[in-house]
């Protein structure tokens, strides 16, 4: 997710898009312009299909952004810092710095995304009922469909999807431990991921090659995301109970403050691997530090 293009800020949240979206944008516009819209509304000029297709792709990204912004704003409301939002191949990712403080907060942060997509679908549906140009109605009908699909796909109970987080928050609420919640949710996640991979391979053998590869790839992605989630939670849990003394270097080599820089470089620095040395005065009191890089 590092190779993203910055778009700007919204509600103080950094918004970016992953390079993969350029490809997906073209794919969506092309599918709309050459397949879906001509099928729904025939006998329009080619340019009209392409304009409608591109407009549909732009609004689709707006819908993705609404979904992710909902996550981010609820997260902020519950005291979780949001580093930014990146839109990419599978929709969007709200980068949360830290963890929700309660199972309820996690459930709300996760659940509001699919709810927002469903609400957007409802708005698009009402708009599509208005007497509008046929192509516009066609694009709106497609947006209703993709927003419902977005909500449903995100509700699949597998990490890093919202459904995985909802499941994890439920187990958290039941067990009282976030780590145990994640652990149980990841186990169920894995079952879904393996099922998707198996189904993808099955599709491959039945001749649905592209579909099969795609589904298997998503399954593999969910599998690795689940493992990452579990490792990340375990590491954060461990770090919470590890004192800094476990990470420090000892014994400590201190430098008397009356030593000259030349003496320090010749007599002390070559004998030790450190880059930083605490400095003490004649009474033994620590008075500062000296870094080799500063000399
Ligand atoms: Zn979501």
């Amino acid at each position: 997710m590092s190779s993203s293009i910055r778009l700007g800020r919204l509600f103080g949240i950094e918004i970016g898009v992953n390079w993969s979206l350029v490809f997906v944008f073209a794919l969506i516009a092309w599918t709309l312009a050459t397949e879906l819209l001509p099928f729904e509304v025939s006998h329009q000029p080619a340019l009209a299909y392409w304009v409608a297709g591109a407009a549909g792709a732009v609004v689709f990204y707006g819908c993705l952004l609404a979904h992710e912004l909902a996550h981010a704003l609820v997260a902020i409301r519950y005291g979780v810092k949001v580093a930014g939002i990146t839109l990419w191949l599978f929709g969007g990712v709200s980068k949360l710095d830290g963890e929700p403080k309660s199972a309820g907060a996690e459930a709300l942060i996760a659940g509001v995304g699919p709810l927002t997509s469903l609400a957007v679908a409802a708005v698009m549906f009402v708009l599509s009922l208005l007497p509008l140009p046929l192509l516009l109605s066609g694009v709106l009908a497609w947006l209703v469909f993709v927003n419902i699909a977005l909500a449903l796909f995100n509700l699949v109970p597998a990490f890093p999807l919202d459904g995985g987080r909802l499941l994890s928050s439920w187990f958290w609420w039941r067990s009282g431990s976030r780590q145990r919640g994640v652990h149980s949710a990841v186990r169920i996640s894995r079952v879904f991921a393996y099922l998707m991979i198996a189904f993808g391979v099955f599709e491959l053998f039945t001749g649905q090659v592209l579909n099969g590869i795609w589904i298997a790839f998503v399954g593999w992605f969910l599998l690795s995301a689940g493992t990452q989630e579990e490792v990340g939670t375990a590491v954060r849990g461990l770090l919470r109970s590890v004192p800094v003394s476990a990470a420090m270097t000892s014994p400590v080599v201190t430098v008397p403050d009356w030593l000259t820089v030349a003496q320090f470089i010749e007599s002390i620095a070559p004998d030790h691997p450190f880059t930083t040395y605490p400095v003490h005065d004649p009474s033994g009191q620590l008075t500062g530090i000296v870094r080799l890089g500063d000399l």
Side-chain angles (χ1 to χ4, degrees):
M1 234 89 48
S2 53
S3 50
S4 62
I5 308 156
R6 273 192 60 192
L7 282 190
R9 295 179 82 86
L10 212 56
F11 301 105
I13 302 163
E14 193 80 47
I15 314 283
V17 293
N18 184 268
W19 60 268
S20 64
L21 272 206
V22 180
F23 166 71
V24 179
F25 182 92
L27 191 69
I28 292 174
W30 178 73
T31 312
L32 274 172
T34 63
E35 282 184 33
L36 298 176
L37 291 175
F39 179 74
E40 272 183 58
V41 188
S42 51
H43 305 301
Q44 304 285 323
L47 182 66
Y49 285 123
W50 278 101
V51 170
V58 170
V59 177
F60 171 64
Y61 285 142
C63 298
L64 283 183
L65 188 58
H67 176 117
E68 290 307 317
L69 263 181
H71 284 309
L73 291 176
V74 175
I76 291 170
R77 162 83 181 70
Y78 282 94
V80 180
K81 270 205 205 117
V82 177
I85 290 175
T86 306
L87 297 180
W88 70 304
L89 198 56
F90 288 109
V93 184
S94 298
K95 284 168 284 182
L96 305 183
D97 272 351
E99 296 173 345
K101 289 181 183 60
S102 70
E106 175 160 61
L108 284 173
I109 295 168
V112 75
L115 277 180
T116 303
S117 291
L118 288 178
V120 171
V123 171
M124 296 292 172
F125 177 70
V126 171
L127 287 178
S128 74
L129 297 177
L130 299 175
L132 294 167
L134 285 177
L135 269 180
L136 192 52
S137 301
V139 171
L140 284 168
W142 175 75
L143 286 167
V144 172
F145 169 76
V146 287
N147 274 291
I148 291 176
L150 195 65
L152 293 182
F153 174 67
N154 269 292
L155 284 173
V156 169
F159 282 107
L161 303 175
D162 300 331
R165 303 203 183 282
L166 280 172
L167 193 65
S168 156
S169 69
W170 188 70
F171 283 122
W172 178 3
W173 175 70
R174 289 229 338 201
S175 69
S177 145
R178 181 169 201 270
Q179 204 172 325
R180 243 179 286 166
V182 169
H183 185 71
S184 305
V186 165
R187 277 209 301 216
I188 293 178
S189 268
R190 280 210 186 104
V191 174
F192 273 89
Y194 281 126
L195 279 176
M196 275 183 103
I197 293 173
F199 186 66
V201 172
F202 172 76
E203 290 262 283
L204 267 180
F205 283 114
T206 58
Q208 303 277 330
V209 176
L210 211 62
N211 241 355
I213 292 176
W214 181 239
I215 293 171
F217 173 71
V218 173
W220 168 81
F221 167 76
L222 295 179
L223 202 61
S224 57
T227 305
Q228 264 180 34
E229 183 76 27
E230 194 165 33
V231 170
T233 310
V235 168
R236 278 193 296 270
L238 280 176
L239 290 184
R240 256 200 289 276
S241 55
V242 172
V244 279
S245 63
M248 74 184 185
T249 313
S250 77
V252 66
V253 177
T254 57
V255 178
D257 63 0
W258 59 92
L259 213 64
T260 67
V261 171
Q263 285 171 318
F264 166 64
I265 290 176
E266 282 160 19
S267 63
I268 295 183
D271 297 337
H272 305 285
F274 310 127
T275 54
T276 306
Y277 296 81
V279 179
H280 65 86
D281 65 10
S283 70
Q285 183 91 25
L286 288 178
T287 48
I289 56 165
V290 60
R291 278 183 292 254
L292 280 183
D294 293 341
L295 297 177

